[in-house]
Amino acid sequence: MMQTTFKVHRFDPEQPEHARLATYVVELPESASIVDGLTYICDEQDPSLAFRANCERGSCGDCALRVNKKGVLGCTTKIVDVVGKDGIVTVEPIRHVPVLKDLVYDMETFLWRKVRAVTPWITPQAAGPNGASTVSEQKIAEVRTAMSCVMCGLCDEGCTVVAVDDQFVGPAALTKAYRAIFDPRDTRHVERLQSISEPDGVWDCTHCFEANGHCPIGIEPTDRIFEIRDEAIRLGIRSGKQNPKVRRHYDSFVNSVKKSGWLDEGRLAIESEGLFNVRGLLKLLPTAARAIVRNKAPIPYMHHKRPGAKAIRQIIEKAEGKRS
């Protein structure tokens, strides 16, 4: 048996100013999980503790928690693997989500509304003679990994964009979108890519790869986002109708590197806003002024060619030829 001190987040929505960490001492086998510890506290010490858990096998995602400042699934995380040298385990709700009570949080606000926005169900072609829409194992294998997502939300919990913009659709919902986009039975391929290319969609990802690091089952959501972007570019969908800045940014980036072999950052900033977008260009002035003061202001359109620029141009043109 192992004795551990649990410090558990307590929150009463009727007294939010009294949110605190409550201390409980538990004695459980070394094989016990975080959920086992919370269950023991609820059964033996404090039945008012609220937390969410279901399958206890890492298959439902209900028990996503922040344990000792790291996002985990409580049912598959053993106490012995996370307890600090001081014998303390701190259990809190995941970040960026409204807390309803103690360790229970509002998944509707955090995740479900975003999942619905990407319409994560497929729209198949007309069924075959037997009434079924069949697909070969080889073709469905590519999306099988994404299909195993348990929607725990830990990728969104670690996302650096969600941390500053809760309207960003987030890696969890985009993983669901990936599953539908790459399912060979779906008939709304282009429509889906156009929809998630609108503001707060797939192009807002900063590809920091935090989502990969936070996913507990190895789905690698950031890689799925890259595949969605590659597919959108392959089909010429570089932005949504309400999001032309993304297309301008993409085109300027490619044209700059194709011309000189490296990125003209000044040109990129101007062309991303739009050459005739006076309001957008004026917004760049404070940043430009700070760069000038620090002697770091790039001079747009005055880029000299890098050695190997010709070879880089040939690589880009070859890639563009493959897409056309």
Side-chain angles (χ1 to χ4, degrees), residues 3-284:
Q3 188 177 86
T4 308
T5 299
F6 270 60
K7 289 186 176 294
V8 183
H9 179 265
R10 302 303 307 268
F11 173 78
D12 182 345
E14 296 182 355
Q15 296 180 308
E17 68 277 12
H18 292 156
R20 59 191 171 89
L21 289 175
T23 300
Y24 306 93
V25 178
V26 304
E27 191 165 320
L28 291 168
E30 290 194 358
S31 60
S33 68
I34 296 298
V35 167
D36 289 335
L38 296 174
T39 302
Y40 179 87
I41 293 169
C42 190
D43 290 347
E44 305 294 336
Q45 300 184 18
D46 189 347
S48 69
L49 176 65
F51 65 99
R52 186 182 284 135
N54 193 1
C55 72
E56 300 193 26
R57 287 172 172 74
S59 299
C60 71
D62 267 5
C63 60
L65 294 164
R66 191 162 173 81
V67 176
N68 286 356
K69 305 301 179 184
K70 181 180 179 181
V72 300
L73 293 179
C75 68
T76 57
T77 302
K78 292 183 179 179
I79 298 172
V80 69
D81 291 335
V82 295
V83 66
K85 293 180 180 178
D86 53 5
I88 295 175
V89 170
T90 302
V91 185
E92 300 169 283
I94 58 176
R95 300 172 297 178
H96 320 313
V97 55
V99 176
L100 300 176
K101 186 178 187 309
D102 299 336
L103 301 173
V104 178
Y105 41 84
D106 182 3
M107 285 294 281
E108 170 61 26
T109 301
F110 180 59
L111 202 55
W112 301 144
R113 65 182 176 89
K114 297 181 179 180
V115 172
R116 286 197 300 273
V118 302
T119 56
W121 54 88
I122 65 170
T123 305
Q125 299 175 352
N130 61 356
S133 297
T134 58
V135 61
S136 70
E137 173 59 28
Q138 182 180 7
K139 288 186 176 180
I140 203 66
E142 296 180 6
V143 297
R144 195 173 293 285
T145 300
M147 291 166 68
S148 65
C149 173
V150 299
M151 298 305 295
C152 63
L154 288 176
C155 55
D156 278 35
E157 197 266 354
C159 174
T160 56
V161 180
V162 171
V164 297
D165 180 7
D166 63 5
Q167 296 305 305
F168 173 48
V169 68
L174 288 172
T175 298
K176 285 296 183 185
Y178 171 95
R179 180 257 182 273
I181 290 168
F182 287 92
D183 191 309
R185 295 167 294 184
D186 188 60
T187 57
R188 299 176 54 205
H189 189 69
V190 172
E191 180 184 342
R192 293 180 188 280
L193 289 168
Q194 290 172 334
S195 176
I196 62 172
S197 292
E198 296 293 356
D200 303 319
V202 68
W203 298 102
D204 282 18
C205 170
T206 59
H207 38 82
C208 65
F209 286 91
E210 286 291 329
N212 281 6
H214 285 74
C215 177
I217 54 177
I219 289 177
E220 299 183 331
T222 310
D223 290 55
R224 306 287 82 78
I225 291 172
F226 271 101
E227 290 185 58
I228 292 173
R229 286 180 169 185
D230 288 346
E231 182 68 358
I233 292 171
R234 187 183 72 81
L235 295 175
I237 304 169
R238 301 191 298 282
S239 67
K241 292 181 180 179
Q242 306 300 320
N243 207 17
K245 187 174 179 178
V246 172
R247 174 177 45 77
R248 294 196 296 263
H249 183 91
Y250 176 87
D251 290 343
S252 179
F253 194 110
V254 171
N255 292 332
S256 171
V257 176
K258 187 193 291 187
K259 179 182 178 182
S260 61
W262 59 315
L263 180 62
D264 182 344
E265 293 180 332
R267 171 182 175 176
L268 181 70
I270 293 172
E271 293 184 353
S272 294
E273 289 296 337
L275 293 176
F276 303 105
N277 178 12
V278 177
R279 180 176 296 180
L281 294 175
L282 289 174
K283 290 180 180 178
L284 298 176

